Amino acid sequence: GGGGGGHTQQSTIVQKCTTMQRIRAAFDLGSGGMKLVVARVTVEDGHVRINEVLLGEEHPVKLAVDLEASSTGELSEEIRALGLATLTGLVKKARDLGCLDDEPMPGIATAVYRKAANGPAYLEALQSTAGVRLAVVSQEEEARLGFQTAVAKVEAMDGRMPSTMVVWDSGGGSFQIVRDRTDTTSGGEKANTYLGNFAVAFATRVCVEDIQGRDFAGGASANPATLDHAEALIARLRAVLPKPLPVWAADTATVYAIGNTNSIFYLGRDVLKSTTYTAAMVKEALLKVVGQGDDTLGPAWCSLPRSDPPSLVVPKLCLLYTVMSELKIKEVQFVSAIGSCAGILRSSKYYV
């Protein structure tokens, strides 16, 4: 009760209480790497703004490649040990930057954890040893987080935010393409999604084992790959793309493609020296890399710290070209992002 005045005062106090500055961590355990972003965020009435990124790291842990090479459908002991050591090191960095015990340090686990027979048990081990709260997410949720990541990044570039965006996220074990409105955090029913349950690891195995007849499980490289090899791989990938193909992907002028330095999109940007490119340009990039060995492709395109091996170069560009050409994507714009960590930071539900 107490009349209007008191009520106004009270609601002001409540409103003040809902604005908080926090240091938050977000982990993205992908099929090709483990990623961490630690950021200073403002939480206001459920809306999260990323003010400052304190740390962003991605470490390759080739789980999907390991699983593709497995005869049992399980992740090997070696890769699991590497993953655990990597995650433990990242958690220490987050704590050193001020992430406290009073709020969970959440992380998502994606495709490879859904596919591997020992994925759930491995995740349990990671969670209890490293002290993070991990959830295996559906591919739909992975798509939503990728979309939110792109929105956060485009917002930060202070570009004019388009009312609708198409976002493409492609990793080691799967890819997602989403069209949605940018003014929603729900990834609502208006969102269109196109989900592929394979990506770079599958493309590399098909290239090495099926097309070249080399020993993928034994660690054989796809290089040198001839143009015939590349064209055969493109035909195989085209055949396994989920049908029906999304007609809406062709309707937009620009598709925002998120990823870090090991993504297929960064490789395209690197070879073409352009953050935006077309399918025809990716075909040109492919012509530049076929016929070369690891010794040439490594120094040229895999020289950054924590780079993927050169064996993935041709399969990555074949995958990029196949999806762009089949879906009639007019142009891709590379948006640098560390996994879907920004999307997780923006999603309050992971911090409850």
Side-chain angles (χ1 to χ4, degrees):
H7 182 72
T8 318
Q9 193 181 354
Q10 198 180 354
S11 66
T12 316
I13 294 166
V14 171
Q15 203 178 357
K16 278 200 180 108
C17 293
T18 58
T19 304
M20 293 179 300
Q21 289 268 358
R22 287 251 138 130
I23 292 176
R24 274 184 177 172
F27 292 86
D28 178 345
L29 275 50
S31 301
M34 294 194 170
K35 304 141 202 155
L36 164 68
V37 169
V38 178
R40 215 181 286 281
V41 301
T42 305
V43 185
E44 188 165 7
D45 301 324
H47 182 76
V48 182
R49 196 174 67 245
I50 300 170
N51 300 323
E52 183 193 358
V53 172
L54 305 175
L55 177 77
E57 283 193 12
E58 177 169 343
H59 294 253
V61 180
K62 299 278 135 212
L63 294 161
V65 170
D66 180 89
L67 187 62
E68 286 284 348
S70 163
S71 55
T72 61
E74 293 194 325
L75 295 164
S76 72
E77 205 174 321
E78 295 75 30
I79 203 79
R80 284 182 288 135
L82 174 65
L84 183 57
T86 303
L87 183 60
T88 308
L90 289 174
V91 168
K92 186 185 179 316
K93 289 183 179 182
R95 292 214 186 279
D96 291 348
L97 284 167
C99 288
L100 303 170
D101 290 328
D102 68 340
E103 197 177 45
M105 286 206 278
I108 61 163
T110 58
V112 78
Y113 298 90
R114 297 191 290 259
K115 293 176 186 173
N118 56 351
Y122 179 46
L123 201 64
E124 194 57 48
L126 288 174
Q127 197 158 237
S128 55
T129 312
V132 279
R133 190 170 75 188
L134 302 170
V136 176
V137 293
S138 68
Q139 204 177 356
E140 288 73 15
E141 172 69 356
E142 197 180 346
R144 185 190 74 81
L145 290 168
F147 186 84
Q148 286 301 322
T149 296
V151 170
K153 291 289 174 181
V154 173
E155 215 169 51
M157 297 190 304
D158 351 277
R160 192 180 62 77
M161 179 62 81
S163 61
T164 300
M165 266 168 57
V166 176
V167 174
W168 180 8
D169 178 11
S170 189
S174 67
F175 68 87
Q176 297 77 232
I177 303 177
V178 188
R179 179 176 70 172
D180 200 3
R181 298 188 53 79
T182 52
D183 57 9
T184 169
T185 51
S186 64
E189 49 294 359
K190 296 184 295 294
N192 300 103
T193 55
Y194 180 69
L195 309 175
N197 69 344
F198 64 89
V200 173
F202 171 81
T204 308
R205 182 184 61 76
V206 167
C207 185
V208 175
E209 205 169 81
D210 301 355
I211 293 167
Q212 298 171 331
R214 298 174 190 163
D215 181 11
F216 180 71
S221 172
N223 300 317
T226 64
L227 185 55
D228 284 351
H229 290 152
E231 282 175 346
L233 178 56
I234 289 164
R236 274 291 301 275
L237 295 174
R238 194 177 281 149
V240 294
L241 279 180
K243 308 291 184 287
L245 297 174
V247 288
W248 45 264
D251 296 341
T252 182
T254 300
V255 170
Y256 294 91
I258 61 167
N260 198 5
T261 50
N262 279 330
S263 70
I264 62 174
F265 311 118
Y266 183 91
L267 179 62
R269 189 215 76 130
D270 207 17
V271 179
L272 292 163
K273 305 280 174 272
S274 170
T275 52
T276 56
Y277 43 81
T278 61
M281 288 166 74
V282 175
K283 193 71 189 271
E284 286 171 33
L286 197 49
L287 294 172
K288 285 186 184 174
V289 299
V290 290
Q292 297 181 41
D294 287 355
D295 54 345
T296 317
L297 292 179
W301 313 118
C302 310
S303 60
L304 291 169
R306 305 198 279 269
S307 273
D308 274 350
S311 177
L312 307 187
V313 168
V314 171
K316 279 180 179 179
L317 290 176
C318 287
L319 178 62
L320 180 59
Y321 175 75
T322 304
V323 178
M324 284 188 79
S325 57
E326 287 300 289
L327 271 56
K328 301 183 169 49
I329 290 171
K330 295 186 177 76
E331 179 186 72
V332 151
Q333 179 176 339
F334 171 67
V335 177
S336 177
I338 295 180
S340 291
C341 293
I344 298 167
L345 288 167
R346 284 170 66 97
S347 300
S348 299
K349 69 177 186 183
Y350 286 100
Y351 296 90
V352 182

